Amino acid sequence: MAVDTRIAAQLRDVHHRFGEAGVLQDVALTVRSGEIVAIVGPSGCGKTTLLRIVAGLLRPSGGEVARPDSGVGFVFQEPALLAWRRVDSNARLLARGEDAIVNHLLTVSGLLEHRHKWPHELSGGMKMRLSLVRSLAARPDLLLLDEPFGALDQITRHRLHDEFGALHESEGFSALLVTHSIDEAVYLADRVLVMSSAPGRIVGEFAVPFPRPRSDDLRYSSEFAALVGNIARSLYRYAGDA
Amino acid sequence: MNEIRPPATPRNSTHRSPRLARLAPPLAVLGLVIAGWYGLAYSLDNNFASADGSALIIPPPHQLFVGLNAATVSRIASATWVSLGTAAVGLLLAILVGVLLGVAMSFSRSLESAFWPWLIAVQVTPVIVLTPIIVRVVGASFTARLIVTVLIAFFPIASNTLFGMRSVGRALHDVFTLAGASRWHRLIHLQLPAASPAIFAGLRVSAGLAVIGAVVGDFFFTRGTPGLGRLITFFFQDTRSGPMFVTALIAALIGLCFFVAVAALRRLLVSPWHRP
Amino acid sequence: MASPLTSRVTRVVLATVLGGVLAACGTDATNTDDKNTPSTDVSTTNATDSAANAGQLATVCDSPVVVQTDWYPQTEHGGIYELLGDDYVVDAERGATTGSLVFRGADTGVDLEVRAGGPFIESPVVTEMFLDDTITLGYVGSDVALSRYAEAPTLAVFNALTINPQVVLWDESKHPGVSTISEIAAEVRAISVFGDRPYMRYLVAQGVVPTDKVDTNYKGVLMLATDDIAHQGFATSEPFRYANLESGAVATAYQLVHDVGWTSYPQNLAINKLRLEPLRPCLAALVPLMQQAQIDFIESPDRTVATILDVVERLDTTWSQSPELAAYAVETMERLGIVDNGTTPIFGDFESPRLDDFVARAVPILREQGLPIPDIVAGDIATNEFLDADITMP
């Protein structure tokens, strides 16, 4: 399927089954160039499966998937670093020769001074930053993120949210973010999609009107709280027995 | 009344020489072993009823080297060379065979299900008792020695390679899949490095087994230059207990060297990055 | 195959009968035993002296006299069992057979304990002789005496076997025309021997056997039928065992290791040399009896063979002997000169040029194995001091 240059990824009528169980049904979504789209949904609703289908790691049972020819970046729940490679070697794993970009990314993520360390010497936040840097070093048009901040403490998580926002501003990539945190989705995304479970369907879509760059103050605004509340109500309506 | 005391100064001994503190317990055990050895040597009836005062059954530690003339030393040296060579080459082959088998089984579930029960069968068989048959088929050659050593030593490496390869997380595999990595690239840059701590754990066991295979298997190698195992039986037949104990100590020393070599290699290749 | 064997057995019987007659002729008049009828033959007056010795044994020897043999009871040990009275008892646990020490029917007043070797002892005989003070005499070959001289010096006082029955034997039908160890070594895959034996070292050093043909795996199994090898054995035993295999007779040929130059005296009665002085009076009385008993046994083996077979049965091990095998052994010992006067008329003596030559030949071979052998001469490991020079094999 031809991809509109203004569209980073598009899914039409995607459904997927694992054996008898329907996991995804009639999923359609579009990620526009430069846009960050978040998907929220209850655990086990098929968010990760959807992300793997977008990445091309999983062939859907049916439907059409369009993704950038240049490939996609993927940031997993865990940092998925190569423990036997030092920080800079991990950062360069997927890079295509451009040293300057990797050094730039290491610098802005505060990893440059740690570049000779082993992954086990890094904090959880540093590991996740490195995972992000590794994905971005390949200069993907579309970055897929599967609950990348879920395992971090709140302070670190919020700090990474801002760093991610800054990277997005400077690098201009598109992103599809799967998360179970509505806060996170609203803070990071331009649009939030709500997914129901068993089978997973897109049951709601919320535009996030807050301008960028966003700052921590936004989290404590009533508009932010109201939007989070709306999404939560939509989510709970479809959450089923979960 | 409630005067505040300065904290007690830590005891100097532990501070001044932590190395000594660490070495003391094993040295104490060594002392006990040597004391027990002396006790045994001097409690056996007529152990020293010989003409020259040498021990007839068990030499006390200070008499270990009494019978070590040039000819005996040269016999022990050539036996050491045979056993060391067998153990070393055998271990290298066991690594090769073990890693290849582990990799092959990790690539294919059907290969794994075909091979695994038989590998277990080989593992639980005391292969040493098959030595005479192996000798009968291949001849009492270096090849036969190697076969015995490899059969005894390869399993821990094969199984640990398999488990190590299988332990690579899905996310890491996905990273390589997304990068369009070839199977070979994935093996070299992801699976083998990830499996290396497990492989080294297997290697540590296999190194000990290789020495056992080379030395104990040698009891059955009755032709050509004797290795340490057969030399021990020769010394035993001649009741030359000093050289016999020395030969046994050398066998232990080879085992120790292998252990230390594997540990050193592990410290070089794995320890810096691996946190279990 | 059958006919030469039959004729051989016939000869054994003849020899036995003949020997019995001769022995009967040589027996002293004072004997009361039925089978040793009095005689007036003058050719063996020495027997009178021996009998006189027998009388005083109780005054000079501690009882029991203990002889440690090197293996299960077998015909090669006949001379010692010859001295065992019919009142013997067998201790299967220790492998010891104890009875009155009887010479030609006359009870000497001391007991004789003959101990089986092999699995019944933890160490070689020579070591046992130093570990166990109760052993009077042990079987020690001249090569072993040399090997262990530094820490366990022994002194041989009598050789029971003049020539070593040790052979290398092979399947005659597979190797027709082969008559020497050197020739068979070139034809077979390996020569199987038990452990690192000095005689095999000697054969290798002499170029008789290539070193890669030596296999030290011999466990006493008759392997010629199933394997392309030659192996060690006793001329007095293995050829007969092969000829009577249940799975089919195998015709064997062999060469004595003695004939290739390893002229060790194989089965000497030796003492712990540290105990020479206290034992001296006993040996002077006892050794002539052992000399004569060995001759008596060869000449009239029946009673003692029966004793050996009985002891073997009572020891209740996997070891077996048969009257036929015993007859073959006795016949072979005579035919090959295994029990013989040698070059001097004195029976059981250590002959000077032979033992000197052997010491000169063996010491370098043994030293090569790392055995710490001091510079010694034949007289250090053997003496003729206690022999009765008049006792000779007729």
Side-chain angles (χ1 to χ4, degrees):
Chain A
M1 182 164 97
V3 181
D4 187 321
T5 48
R6 291 160 302 163
I7 291 174
Q10 195 160 45
L11 271 64
R12 272 196 211 137
D13 194 23
V14 165
H15 51 274
H16 193 69
R17 310 179 69 83
F18 283 137
E20 291 298 301
V23 181
L24 296 174
Q25 190 179 316
D26 299 331
V27 174
L29 68 82
T30 302
V31 181
R32 289 186 279 275
S33 265
E35 185 187 31
I36 299 179
V37 176
I39 300 174
V40 294
S43 303
C45 71
K47 300 189 296 287
T48 298
T49 303
L50 179 62
L51 217 52
R52 291 172 62 78
I53 286 173
V54 176
L57 288 168
L58 195 63
R59 179 187 290 275
S61 307
E64 292 176 30
V65 180
R67 69 181 70 84
D69 297 331
S70 55
V72 299
F74 206 123
V75 181
F76 299 89
Q77 278 170 339
E78 74 255 43
L81 303 171
L82 304 185
W84 52 93
R85 292 194 181 202
R86 292 175 195 272
V87 167
D88 57 350
S89 175
N90 262 292
R92 268 168 247 280
L93 181 70
L94 307 173
R96 289 158 188 161
E98 298 141 283
D99 239 23
I101 292 160
V102 179
N103 283 340
H104 167 70
L105 289 169
L106 286 172
T107 308
V108 299
S109 57
L111 282 165
L112 197 65
E113 59 181 301
H114 302 298
R115 65 186 183 281
H116 297 309
K117 286 187 176 169
W118 298 106
H120 76 82
E121 295 173 300
L122 300 179
S123 67
M126 283 296 186
K127 285 180 188 166
M128 202 36 92
R129 285 185 182 98
L130 179 55
S131 186
L132 203 54
V133 165
R134 179 179 67 189
S135 292
L136 292 176
R139 313 235 67 186
D141 290 326
L142 176 65
L143 190 62
L144 305 170
L145 303 105
D146 186 6
E147 297 186 22
F149 312 117
L152 305 174
D153 67 88
Q154 181 167 315
I155 297 171
T156 311
R157 190 161 64 233
H158 286 180
R159 196 171 290 157
L160 260 99
H161 286 165
D162 289 340
E163 288 176 20
F164 180 73
L167 280 169
H168 177 248
E169 290 297 303
S170 64
E171 306 299 312
F173 51 83
S174 330
L176 181 60
L177 167 73
V178 157
T179 176
H180 57 252
S181 160
I182 301 170
D183 273 43
E184 185 172 277
V186 172
Y187 192 74
L188 291 179
D190 299 306
R191 275 188 299 140
V192 177
L193 305 178
V194 177
M195 239 177 118
S196 70
S197 63
R201 285 177 295 132
I202 306 289
V203 291
E205 176 175 346
F206 296 83
V208 182
F210 310 121
R212 292 178 190 277
R214 295 166 186 172
S215 78
D216 225 26
D217 289 340
L218 177 63
R219 296 181 198 276
Y220 313 114
S221 67
S222 54
E223 294 89 341
F224 187 86
L227 182 53
V228 168
N230 283 340
I231 296 172
R233 274 191 290 279
S234 166
L235 185 59
Y236 296 158
R237 192 179 310 141
Y238 293 97
D241 301 330
Chain B
M1 271 329 227
N2 291 331
E3 60 176 312
I4 297 168
R5 295 182 172 198
T9 44
R11 260 182 286 170
N12 277 343
S13 60
T14 52
H15 243 279
R16 210 180 287 158
S17 53
R19 175 181 286 263
L20 191 72
R22 220 174 39 240
L23 283 177
L27 284 177
V29 172
L30 178 67
L32 281 176
V33 168
I34 289 177
W37 190 343
Y38 270 110
L40 188 62
Y42 284 95
S43 64
L44 288 169
D45 277 352
N46 286 334
N47 191 22
F48 299 98
S50 62
D52 57 1
S54 66
L56 291 167
I57 305 170
I58 294 179
H62 69 273
Q63 275 193 7
L64 271 185
F65 306 103
V66 164
L68 282 184
N69 49 34
T72 304
V73 168
S74 105
R75 287 183 89 190
I76 293 176
S78 75
T80 303
W81 179 244
V82 168
S83 293
L84 188 63
T86 306
V89 179
L91 182 59
L92 289 178
L93 283 175
I95 293 170
L96 193 71
V97 169
V99 169
L100 282 178
L101 269 171
V103 167
M105 288 189 297
S106 79
F107 277 169
S108 151
R109 288 277 175 189
S110 55
L111 267 184
E112 182 190 345
S113 63
F115 274 112
W116 189 250
W118 303 114
L119 293 185
I120 295 286
V122 172
Q123 171 65 7
V124 299
T125 307
V127 175
I128 285 183
V129 306
L130 300 179
T131 308
I133 298 168
I134 294 167
V135 169
R136 191 77 172 75
V137 174
V138 202
S141 54
F142 190 59
T143 315
R145 290 173 186 270
L146 287 183
I147 289 174
V148 173
T149 306
V150 171
L151 280 178
I152 288 173
F154 83 96
F155 182 81
I157 294 176
S159 64
N160 279 34
T161 302
L162 176 59
F163 291 133
M165 299 271 293
R166 287 271 158 80
S167 72
V168 178
R170 185 172 79 167
L172 279 168
H173 271 298
D174 286 344
V175 170
F176 276 71
T177 306
L178 288 170
S182 66
R183 176 172 266 201
W184 176 249
H185 188 85
R186 187 188 299 263
L187 175 68
I188 296 300
H189 292 284
L190 174 63
Q191 291 171 293
L192 282 179
S196 60
I199 294 175
F200 266 94
L203 180 57
R204 189 162 60 178
V205 178
S206 291
L209 291 175
V211 177
I212 292 174
V215 173
V216 182
D218 189 69
F219 284 124
F220 297 92
F221 287 94
T222 48
R223 284 169 68 194
T225 310
L228 293 172
R230 189 147 55 106
L231 192 60
I232 285 174
T233 65
F234 288 167
F235 285 145
F236 181 74
Q237 284 163 10
D238 286 340
T239 345
R240 301 192 62 204
S241 45
M244 195 178 100
F245 272 79
V246 169
T247 308
L249 282 179
I250 286 176
L253 211 60
I254 292 179
L256 191 67
C257 286
F258 274 46
F259 185 86
V260 168
V262 169
L265 203 61
R266 187 188 186 283
R267 204 155 42 241
L268 192 71
L269 297 178
V270 175
S271 299
W273 58 266
H274 182 63
R275 283 297 171 277
Chain C
M1 186 57 230
S3 71
L5 184 73
T6 322
S7 70
R8 204 180 288 165
V9 170
T10 316
R11 268 189 282 127
V12 176
V13 174
L14 267 173
T16 310
V17 171
L18 219 71
V21 171
L22 285 171
C25 294
T27 318
D28 186 83
T30 58
N31 264 314
T32 50
D33 197 301
D34 318 338
K35 83 177 181 186
N36 292 325
T37 44
S39 159
T40 52
D41 194 299
V42 290
S43 69
T44 53
T45 47
N46 52 75
T48 318
D49 305 336
S50 303
N53 288 338
Q56 52 169 276
L57 208 56
T59 63
V60 289
C61 288
D62 289 337
S63 180
V65 168
V66 176
V67 177
Q68 176 65 61
T69 70
D70 54 358
W71 196 236
Y72 295 98
Q74 53 187 358
T75 318
E76 289 81 351
H77 303 164
I80 287 301
Y81 285 93
E82 176 80 14
L83 289 169
L84 202 56
D86 290 331
D87 59 347
Y88 64 83
V89 289
V90 176
D91 180 346
E93 197 63 39
R94 292 165 55 232
T97 305
T98 313
S100 301
L101 200 163
V102 176
F103 179 73
R104 293 189 163 176
D107 192 333
T108 58
V110 296
D111 283 346
L112 171 65
E113 178 172 308
V114 185
R115 295 186 187 165
F120 288 103
I121 49 179
E122 280 77 35
S123 309
V125 172
V126 61
T127 309
E128 289 294 325
M129 289 165 65
F130 282 75
L131 291 174
D132 185 345
D133 299 331
T134 64
I135 296 173
T136 317
L137 292 152
Y139 281 4
V140 181
S142 301
D143 49 359
V144 175
L146 290 174
S147 306
R148 307 297 309 283
Y149 191 81
E151 85 285 14
T154 53
L155 186 68
V157 294
F158 162 58
N159 76 67
L161 300 181
T162 315
I163 287 178
N164 196 343
Q166 188 77 59
V167 298
V168 169
L169 78 165
W170 56 88
D171 186 331
E172 195 175 22
S173 60
K174 284 187 202 160
H175 305 280
V178 171
S179 61
T180 65
I181 297 174
S182 170
E183 288 165 10
I184 196 62
E187 292 197 9
V188 289
R189 186 176 64 79
I191 295 181
S192 177
V193 294
F194 174 74
D196 190 20
R197 299 296 87 194
Y199 71 83
M200 194 44 81
R201 286 248 170 182
Y202 171 76
L203 295 182
V204 169
Q206 292 297 302
V208 173
V209 176
T211 183
D212 63 334
K213 289 286 176 81
V214 180
D215 194 335
T216 56
N217 68 347
Y218 187 65
K219 303 280 192 297
V221 185
L222 302 177
M223 301 187 288
L224 291 187
T226 53
D227 204 349
D228 175 30
I229 57 162
H231 67 71
Q232 71 167 50
F234 270 10
T236 45
S237 172
E238 269 76 9
F240 180 85
R241 288 172 184 265
Y242 270 114
N244 293 278
L245 274 187
E246 274 182 32
S247 54
V250 174
T252 54
Y254 56 81
Q255 186 182 23
L256 288 164
V257 170
H258 179 89
D259 289 345
V260 194
W262 191 254
T263 52
S264 178
Y265 286 98
Q267 189 178 294
N268 308 322
L269 284 140
I271 57 157
N272 173 342
K273 206 174 173 182
L274 303 178
R275 299 172 60 208
L276 173 60
E277 286 315 317
L279 279 175
R280 211 182 270 275
C282 175
L283 292 173
L286 180 61
V287 171
L289 301 191
M290 295 195 298
Q291 275 178 283
Q292 190 58 53
Q294 179 77 337
I295 295 170
D296 290 352
F297 167 68
I298 293 296
E299 296 186 339
S300 176
D302 294 355
R303 188 191 73 99
T304 297
V305 163
T307 301
I308 290 173
L309 294 176
D310 179 57
V311 172
V312 166
E313 198 176 314
R314 286 172 195 275
L315 287 177
D316 193 22
T317 65
T318 54
W319 179 249
S320 69
Q321 293 277 282
S322 69
E324 294 78 15
L325 173 61
Y328 176 79
V330 172
E331 182 267 335
T332 306
M333 286 193 279
E334 281 193 299
R335 179 165 47 86
L336 298 180
I338 290 169
V339 177
D340 190 61
N341 289 328
T343 55
T344 70
I346 308 168
F347 180 76
D349 65 335
F350 299 93
E351 292 167 3
S352 177
R354 172 177 160 187
L355 191 55
D356 294 332
D357 288 351
F358 175 72
V359 170
R361 205 170 300 169
V363 167
I365 301 269
L366 297 168
R367 281 185 180 151
E368 239 171 66
Q369 281 175 272
L371 292 159
I373 306 173
D375 290 324
I376 49 179
V377 294
D380 291 324
I381 57 166
T383 179
N384 294 329
E385 172 188 344
F386 305 105
L387 293 167
D388 184 336
D390 294 329
I391 297 180
T392 189
M393 205 167 168

